[in-house]
Amino acid sequence: MKIHEYQGKQIFARYGVPIPKGQVAATVDEVVAAAEAVGYPCVVKAQVHVGGRGKAGGVKLAADAAAARGAGEAILGMDIKGLTVQQVLVEEAIGIAAEYYLGITLDRANQRNVLIVSAAGGIDIEEVAAKTPEKVLRVPIDPAFGLLPHQITAALYAAGIDAAAIREATRFIKLLDQAYRDIDASLAEINPLVLTTDGRVVAADAKINIDDNALFRHKELAALSEDALTDPLEIEAHRRGLQFVRLEAANLAGAAPAVGVIGNGAGLVMGTLDEVTRVGAPHGIGPANFLDIGGGARAEVVRNALELVVSNPDVRGVFINIFGGITRCDEVAKGILEATGALDLQVPLVIRLTGTNEDEGRRILAEQSSYQPYTDFGAAAAKIVELVAAA
Ligand code: GDP
Ligand code: MN
């Protein structure tokens, strides 16, 4: 899960990391009010879940109220890498003497966390890393010992951090490391860490990613996760507690995301997406989403899932693929009846139903609906594509 810069800074501040005084604003008037509160010069910064905001024009300095208004007008509503800026962070500007990079992230290849330090921080760090990798120092952290004080000192000197900043940078790394472990982060990054013209060291940016699988033990952070979602369908899925991912038309090789897919088990659902992609390709039809109702789903979950999938205007047909193990086909059948009864479904629905309590499931559907579930996966996938293509 990604969180915004201002949220990351609030977390760092709790650990004692110095951050500039700042306020979040969502309208141009709020930008001006925030600028008046933090003082001039100030900096207006887009809050979106991507890096490279500086290069995209999403970070602007303002010397007075008129400039702050101009920056607010320019940045709010701006598109940065496909994301619309809805909030900005207005901060007191800091005089920059040097920009460094500090980060801790998970190095999966080496199965441990790694501290990354560079004296060449700022908006060009990716280029620095690509062209002059020797300027970006990587220190593996042994999970048995943690980050040791001598490693920090050695890294800062080897990276060429100015003598005037070493003491503070050492303190920052310790705090960063503590925060990283406490909140189950997969990335905690300060770029730039600024040595100011008056000799202070300040975090000018904050980037934190949190391991989704650890959110259950961080209730206060989990509350930010809805904020991290931008797609209204995914927000609704999150509210309903459903494992849902919308498939982007851009990733479907020209096919339309027309078939809503619901299944039980991530593997079966992914297999279903593949099969719909394969048989749909000649017709320009592809799957619209991933939705796993999980094992043992009750009727209510099925109803919830079906409602969500058909609320997507791109969906022109729905394919429910159930292989009943711990999921009971009769429960699924009840859910389908509840949903279709409540929804007045306007698109074709193809059901593949096999496994536990299959006979009971089929009997329920036969008695109370005209749905005739398939047993064979391939035949069912071909049928939904045929119906959508014909519609
Ligand atoms: P990013 O491009 O998304 O990583 O956004 P940053 O928060 O790192 O800002 C990009 C650049 O804007 C920084 O590297 C700084 O050079 C500049 N910047 C950010 N805040 C300030 C500030 O308070 N004062 C000054 N002078 N420059 C700033
Ligand atoms: Mn940055």
Side-chain angles (χ1 to χ4, degrees):
M1 178 182 90
K2 295 174 179 177
I3 63 175
H4 287 300
E5 173 192 4
Y6 78 90
Q7 295 163 334
K9 280 181 168 162
Q10 283 164 7
I11 291 173
F12 285 156
R14 285 210 298 271
Y15 282 83
V17 172
I19 56 166
K21 187 163 71 171
Q23 273 186 25
V24 176
T27 66
V28 173
D29 286 338
E30 282 174 20
V31 171
V32 177
E36 294 289 327
V38 301
Y40 300 102
C42 67
V43 57
V44 181
K45 310 181 73 178
Q47 299 297 291
V48 280
H49 290 116
V50 288
R53 297 163 304 159
K55 282 194 171 165
V59 177
K60 291 192 193 308
L61 281 163
D64 53 34
R69 178 168 292 279
E73 282 167 354
I75 298 175
L76 283 169
M78 172 189 266
D79 178 289
I80 301 182
K81 298 179 184 170
L83 298 176
T84 305
V85 180
Q86 280 162 345
Q87 289 175 309
V88 294
L89 174 62
V90 182
E91 280 186 342
E92 57 176 330
I94 43 181
I96 297 180
E99 295 188 71
Y100 314 121
Y101 177 100
L102 286 188
I104 299 178
T105 190
L106 176 61
D107 179 353
R108 290 173 195 275
N110 290 310
Q111 303 175 349
R112 55 195 57 198
N113 293 316
V114 58
L115 167 70
I116 307 174
V117 180
S118 178
I123 56 175
D124 291 321
I125 190 68
E126 280 85 7
E127 211 178 310
V128 171
K131 291 196 178 143
T132 47
E134 68 281 2
K135 289 189 178 167
V136 180
L137 214 87
R138 300 170 62 90
V139 182
I141 303 173
D142 189 316
F145 302 111
L147 187 56
L148 300 169
H150 74 83
Q151 290 183 297
I152 300 175
T153 311
L156 291 171
Y157 280 103
I161 303 294
D162 301 272
I166 295 267
R167 258 175 76 112
E168 271 299 274
T170 303
R171 194 170 74 86
F172 271 68
I173 292 174
K174 287 181 180 163
L175 298 174
L176 197 64
D177 178 49
Q178 189 64 50
Y180 179 90
R181 287 181 289 116
D182 285 353
I183 64 175
D184 292 302
S186 54
L187 171 73
E189 178 187 277
I190 300 176
N191 181 38
L193 176 74
V194 169
L195 173 62
T196 65
T197 42
D198 56 0
R200 293 174 299 129
V201 179
V202 178
D205 192 7
K207 193 166 180 198
I208 296 180
N209 295 349
I210 297 159
D211 182 347
D212 291 337
N213 293 314
L215 284 178
F216 72 94
R217 55 185 178 200
H218 301 289
K219 295 283 180 281
E220 77 294 351
L221 298 174
L224 304 177
S225 74
E226 202 150 280
D227 204 48
L229 296 171
T230 48
D231 182 329
L233 265 182
E234 294 193 351
I235 291 170
E236 183 57 28
H238 185 264
R239 272 196 202 118
R240 292 173 180 236
L242 294 168
Q243 300 297 323
F244 175 93
V245 181
R246 186 209 288 263
L247 299 178
E248 298 293 338
N251 297 329
L252 293 173
V259 179
V261 172
I262 298 171
N264 65 317
L268 178 63
V269 179
M270 288 194 280
T272 309
L273 301 181
D274 286 350
E275 185 61 6
V276 170
T277 301
R278 194 180 69 82
V279 296
H283 308 276
I285 290 167
N289 66 274
F290 170 100
L291 200 170
D292 172 16
I293 57 171
R298 311 294 299 199
E300 195 191 328
V301 175
V302 178
R303 197 194 65 215
N304 244 324
L306 196 52
E307 279 174 4
L308 180 82
V309 162
V310 298
S311 74
N312 176 357
D314 291 337
V315 165
R316 290 185 274 137
V318 178
F319 181 17
I320 300 183
N321 190 1
I322 302 297
F323 188 94
I326 43 174
T327 302
R328 287 165 36 195
C329 291
D330 55 322
E331 277 294 326
V332 172
K334 282 184 208 155
I336 291 170
L337 287 179
E338 279 179 26
T340 51
L343 278 175
D344 184 24
L345 205 60
Q346 298 294 324
V347 296
L349 168 64
V350 168
I351 304 160
R352 183 253 186 157
L353 202 58
T354 191
T356 306
N357 290 6
E358 177 178 337
D359 293 343
E360 177 69 1
R362 287 176 182 278
R363 193 184 58 74
I364 291 168
L365 286 173
E367 277 175 6
Q368 299 177 56
S369 79
S370 55
Y371 295 116
Q372 295 179 342
Y374 285 75
T375 308
D376 185 74
F377 178 178
K383 186 66 183 177
I384 188 63
V385 166
E386 179 197 318
L387 291 172
V388 170

